[in-house]
Amino acid sequence: MSIQKGPVKMHDQNQILGYQPGTSFIYQLNATTRLIFMLLVSAACMITYDTRFLLAICVFSIILFKEAQIKWSQISFIVKFIVAFMILNLIFVYLFQPTYGQEIYHSRSILIHAGYFTLTIQEVFYLFNLLLKYICSIPIVLLFLLTTNPSQFAASLNKIGISYKISYAVALALRYIPDIQNSYWAISAAQQARGNELSKKAKLSQRIKGTLNIIMPLIFSSLERIDTISTAMQLRRFGSKKKRTWYVAQSFKKEDYWVMGLSVLAILIVILLWQLNHGRFYNPFM
């Protein structure tokens, strides 16, 4: 039997993707305010292709992250995964339709001539706007998940009209994400202590196989825990009433109205830009 050489690297709790308590301005906002802001600003970014607006939101997102005091270790794994997905998505968009940019902007300035895959400035500009959309939306979503207590999130969903049963189910799911991550890293450390190398030192195929061997039983055990909680809630007559109160429900403050006003303003700006640009796309080549 092989013996693990050297100490097993323990997982840093700061790397768990989930609610992280804090004291900054963002944490003081009502959870409903944060939810509305995330939905409206993300929708605005998805609708428009105006580069000026997207750049402004990107800068604003960076400022929000600095204000929330989010550490890189807390988001490094998910950010690396998203970046890999973004690059892959941009490559496939280009490969499937390399002329889409020139069709949108009604002009053609060749950068690299390669037959069907000729690269134009217009295509690069279009792909750049797609990249900006990711950079705008994803930080805002991550910021919401990392700064919002699951119970506050459930209360906020219920406050905007969603059934409290669904709201509570979402809150439970968010609570289970850090628990599952903790369980995964604990099992991984135990496997490595027994000589089953799963760190970066191991081959990629070995790491994938080892990860699957951990994840599959973990998913089934998590389903069993969910079923246990569901049964316990039914025994306590959860859902027998049409409404319920929330222990962590927050009242709106002046700052909440300002933030919701900013999110509505973002939508109004997008509508105005749509009129000025005669569509979703800002065309600097005209």
Side-chain angles (χ1 to χ4, degrees):
M1 183 175 69
S2 61
I3 303 298
Q4 177 71 26
K5 296 181 180 180
V8 177
K9 183 179 178 182
M10 299 304 293
H11 182 65
D12 186 357
Q13 287 296 316
N14 286 330
Q15 296 181 17
I16 298 296
L17 183 64
Y19 172 63
Q20 303 289 338
T23 57
S24 66
F25 165 76
I26 296 174
Y27 288 91
Q28 309 306 318
L29 294 173
N30 189 294
T32 306
T33 301
R34 277 174 272 173
L35 176 63
I36 292 173
F37 180 84
M38 179 193 70
L39 293 176
L40 292 184
V41 174
S42 297
C45 293
M46 289 297 102
I47 291 171
T48 187
Y49 277 84
D50 192 292
T51 313
R52 300 162 296 183
F53 177 82
L54 294 175
L55 283 172
I57 297 296
C58 285
V59 173
F60 187 59
S61 298
I62 295 172
I63 294 173
L64 287 178
F65 253 99
K66 186 176 181 181
E67 171 65 23
Q69 301 174 353
I70 301 297
K71 298 177 181 178
W72 169 248
S73 60
Q74 297 172 249
I75 60 172
S76 59
F77 174 77
I78 189 66
V79 168
K80 290 175 183 177
F81 176 80
I82 292 171
V83 167
F85 175 79
M86 284 194 302
I87 294 173
L88 190 64
N89 181 63
L90 293 175
I91 291 173
F92 277 111
V93 168
Y94 170 69
L95 291 177
F96 280 110
Q97 200 166 9
T99 61
Y100 191 53
Q102 65 191 52
E103 293 173 8
I104 293 172
Y105 302 111
H106 307 293
S107 59
R108 190 169 189 256
S109 304
I110 297 176
L111 280 176
I112 302 174
H113 194 281
Y116 176 75
F117 295 106
T118 295
L119 182 63
T120 63
I121 295 177
Q122 289 75 19
E123 184 69 19
V124 171
F125 186 69
Y126 168 68
L127 294 176
F128 176 66
N129 281 309
L130 281 180
L131 179 63
L132 287 180
K133 283 176 172 287
Y134 284 112
I135 298 174
C136 288
S137 302
I138 292 171
I140 294 175
V141 174
L142 287 176
L143 192 64
F144 176 79
L145 293 175
L146 291 170
T147 61
T148 304
N149 184 297
S151 297
Q152 292 179 350
F153 185 30
S156 68
L157 289 174
N158 188 227
K159 201 163 188 175
I160 63 174
I162 297 176
S163 168
Y164 74 84
K165 298 177 185 177
I166 298 175
S167 302
Y168 202 81
V170 173
L172 284 177
L174 290 176
R175 287 185 182 278
Y176 263 111
I177 291 174
D179 290 343
I180 291 174
Q181 291 178 81
N182 275 319
S183 299
Y184 170 81
W185 290 114
I187 296 171
S188 177
Q191 291 287 342
Q192 291 183 69
R194 290 176 172 86
N196 186 12
E197 185 62 68
L198 297 175
S199 66
K200 294 180 180 179
K201 299 177 183 178
K203 295 180 181 179
L204 180 60
S205 58
Q206 182 182 347
R207 291 167 60 189
I208 293 174
K209 183 179 178 180
T211 300
L212 290 175
N213 288 336
I214 296 174
I215 289 178
M216 295 308 295
L218 190 59
I219 291 175
F220 287 114
S221 65
S222 298
L223 291 175
E224 290 179 2
R225 292 168 62 188
I226 292 172
D227 184 62
T228 301
I229 291 176
S230 176
T231 302
M233 291 172 65
Q234 289 179 3
L235 291 173
R236 289 167 174 80
R237 296 181 59 81
F238 178 81
S240 60
K241 304 291 183 181
K242 293 184 178 180
K243 294 183 179 181
R244 64 161 289 171
T245 56
W246 298 90
Y247 181 74
V248 294
Q250 299 170 298
S251 58
F252 288 106
K253 296 176 289 188
K254 181 174 65 176
E255 293 82 1
D256 295 301
Y257 292 109
W258 277 107
V259 172
M260 285 190 286
L262 283 174
S263 59
V264 173
L265 179 62
I267 294 292
L268 295 177
I269 290 174
V270 167
I271 294 174
L272 177 62
L273 291 173
W274 190 304
Q275 298 295 323
L276 293 175
N277 298 330
H278 304 290
R280 300 169 62 192
F281 298 91
Y282 164 63
N283 190 351
F285 303 103
M286 293 181 62

